[in-house]
């Protein structure tokens, strides 16, 4: 049986939309889709995560990248998405390529059932020979429920479809050891751990919402999911195949060995923090075995308002994130349990429970190469 080879391609706004006229860049799309057709002839499935809808809709709502507010950008996304998809469809017809639109929100990644449903839809499109074009549903999302950048969204799609490769096409050749405009800046061709480079990557493009920082965060998500990531310049002939075949300079982020199961990859790679717990150091250390659950007596403090089934971030007493796991209780229930450790759980909650806050099978211990989240401030102390 031939192994499926899926590739996810993330396209930045500045490649798709002309920065002055805010119109589609058909020349780039032509080169891109021609190369996608070439990859499909090699038996490789391609999923596109394309920015550009907001940029292509700004003129319609009478705004510019500098003047547009949140509601302007949401309206622009509604106007620009048909323009973006129509441009892809026009060029795709030349290569007998069918295009489908998949619009996602944060909940489609953070809720496991919706995550699986979305994966089934994308896989069905690939089976039918259709190229899915994925984007965040910017017309309806607010700050609280949005991913916020297509770099991480695309990385989550790569995780979702068990992609082998994830390519981020942008305006530079890849990651540099300092700002590319600084004298002596050198391209970093291979990166095992993104953490040392995070501070040197601040800033974003004029049209886009993500700079190199979000690209490194996306690369880390993909690496942890067993996907090899590339950051490369998009303004070249054959922008995809030359990267896959190693024919030009770019930054490569090799997939980490022995990735976790799909369930644990989903647990580990978050886009938003629902809530967090602080536990004693010896409890945090014991989580590495994969056999230790978190009990209510282990909890030192709680942060956030979350529901049963949300993923919690687990910290030690030094504020270092050690694990992530699925909560068996809402934050309201958990606070009642935690502050009354000597009272029976059934008496407190009104139903029978073993009192396991995060069960071992629903918990993943984080490797140091995983980008860790800072502990929230002002948490509720249990004792």
């Amino acid at each position: 049986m031939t192994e499926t080879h899926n590739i996810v391609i993330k396209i930045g706004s500045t490649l798709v939309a002309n920065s002055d006229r805010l119109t589609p860049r058909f020349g780039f799309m032509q080169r891109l889709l021609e190369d996608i057709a070439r990859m499909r002839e090699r038996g490789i499935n391609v999923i596109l995560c394309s920015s550009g809808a907001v940029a292509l809709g700004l003129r319609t709502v009478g705004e510019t990248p500098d003047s547009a507010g949140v509601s302007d950008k949401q309206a622009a996304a509604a106007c620009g998405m048909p323009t973006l998809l129509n441009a892809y469809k026009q060029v795709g017809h030349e290569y007998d390529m069918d295009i489908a639109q998949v619009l996602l929100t944060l909940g489609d990644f953070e809720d496991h059932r919706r995550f699986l449903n979305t994966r089934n839809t994308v896989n069905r499109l690939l089976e039918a020979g259709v190229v899915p074009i994925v984007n965040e549903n910017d017309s309806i999302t607010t700050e609280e429920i949005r991913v916020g950048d297509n770099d991480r969204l695309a990385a989550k799609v790569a995780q979702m479809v068990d992609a082998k490769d994830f390519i981020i096409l942008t305006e530079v050749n890849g990651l540099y050891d300092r700002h590319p405009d600084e004298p002596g800046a050198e391209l970093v061709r291979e990166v095992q751990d993104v953490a040392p480079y995070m501070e040197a990557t601040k800033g974003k493009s004029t049209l886009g919402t993500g700079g190199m920082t979000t690209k490194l965060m996306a690369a880390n998500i993909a690496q942890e999911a067993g996907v090899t990531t590339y950051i490369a310049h998009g303004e070249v002939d054959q922008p995809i195949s030359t990267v896959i075949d190693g024919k030009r300079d770019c930054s490569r982020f090799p997939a980490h060995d022995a990735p976790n199961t799909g369930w644990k990859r989903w647990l580990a790679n978050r886009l938003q923090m629902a809530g967090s717990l602080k536990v004693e150091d010896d409890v945090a250390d014991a989580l590495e075995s994969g056999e230790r659950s978190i009990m209510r007596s282990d909890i030192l403090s709680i942060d956030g308002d979350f529901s049963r089934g949300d993923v919690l971030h687990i910290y030690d007493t030094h504020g270092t994130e050690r694990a992530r796991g699925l909560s068996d209780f809402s934050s309201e229930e958990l606070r009642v349990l935690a502050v009354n450790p000597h009272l029976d759980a059934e008496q407190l909650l009104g139903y029978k429970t073993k009192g396991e806050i995060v069960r071992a099978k629903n918990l993943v211990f984080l490797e140091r190469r995983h980008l860790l989240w800072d502990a929230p401030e002002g948490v509720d102390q249990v004792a």
Side-chain angles (χ1 to χ4, degrees), residues 163-167 222-223 226-230 252-256:
K164 181 178 179 181
D165 299 295
F166 170 41
I167 302 175
Q223 282 181 299
V227 183
T228 296
T229 302
Y230 303 84
R252 180 176 180 269
F253 303 74
H256 290 159

Side-chain angles (χ1 to χ4, degrees), residues 134-152:
V134 183
N135 205 337
E136 184 160 18
N137 195 347
D138 290 316
S139 296
I140 66 167
T141 52
T142 60
E143 192 64 34
E144 292 79 12
I145 62 170
R146 69 191 306 258
V147 176
D149 63 88
N150 275 343
D151 296 319
R152 292 182 303 145

Side-chain angles (χ1 to χ4, degrees), residues 8-182:
V8 174
I9 312 295
K10 190 271 175 176
I11 311 297
S13 293
T14 51
L15 293 173
V16 172
N18 183 289
S19 59
D20 295 324
R21 297 187 294 275
L22 299 178
T23 54
R25 300 184 68 240
F26 282 100
F28 167 76
M29 291 183 173
Q30 180 83 30
R31 293 189 295 274
L32 176 69
L33 295 188
E34 180 182 23
D35 207 22
I36 290 177
R38 187 178 293 109
M39 302 305 291
R40 280 155 56 95
E41 289 174 356
R42 291 166 55 173
I44 298 174
N45 294 323
V46 178
I47 301 99
L48 277 181
C49 293
S50 179
S51 302
V54 172
L56 294 175
L58 284 173
R59 285 206 315 173
T60 305
V61 297
E63 299 290 343
T64 67
D66 293 331
S67 68
V70 173
S71 60
D72 301 322
K73 291 179 180 178
Q74 289 180 311
C79 296
M81 186 55 72
T83 302
L84 179 67
L85 266 292
N86 184 57
Y88 276 121
K89 279 185 173 290
Q90 285 185 52
V91 179
H93 281 314
E94 183 175 343
Y95 302 101
D96 194 26
M97 189 182 300
D98 290 317
I99 301 293
Q101 179 187 48
V102 181
L103 292 178
L104 303 177
T105 62
L106 180 68
D108 296 313
F109 296 107
E110 302 295 80
D111 180 276
H112 194 243
R113 180 176 296 180
R114 289 165 64 180
F115 180 88
L116 295 178
N117 288 340
T118 304
R119 183 180 70 180
N120 291 340
T121 297
V122 174
N123 283 336
R124 183 65 185 90
L125 291 170
L126 294 176
E127 289 173 8
V130 178
V131 176
I133 298 184
V134 183
N135 205 337
E136 184 160 18
N137 195 347
D138 290 316
S139 296
I140 66 167
T141 52
T142 60
E143 192 64 34
E144 292 79 12
I145 62 170
R146 69 191 306 258
V147 176
D149 63 88
N150 275 343
D151 296 319
R152 292 182 303 145
L153 180 146
K156 290 292 288 183
V157 171
Q159 174 196 345
M160 178 184 289
V161 301
D162 295 321
K164 181 178 179 181
D165 299 295
F166 170 41
I167 302 175
I168 302 175
L169 294 181
T170 183
E171 298 175 282
V172 293
N173 289 331
L175 171 68
Y176 284 80
D177 59 355
R178 68 200 77 173
H179 194 284
D181 292 338
E182 290 186 24

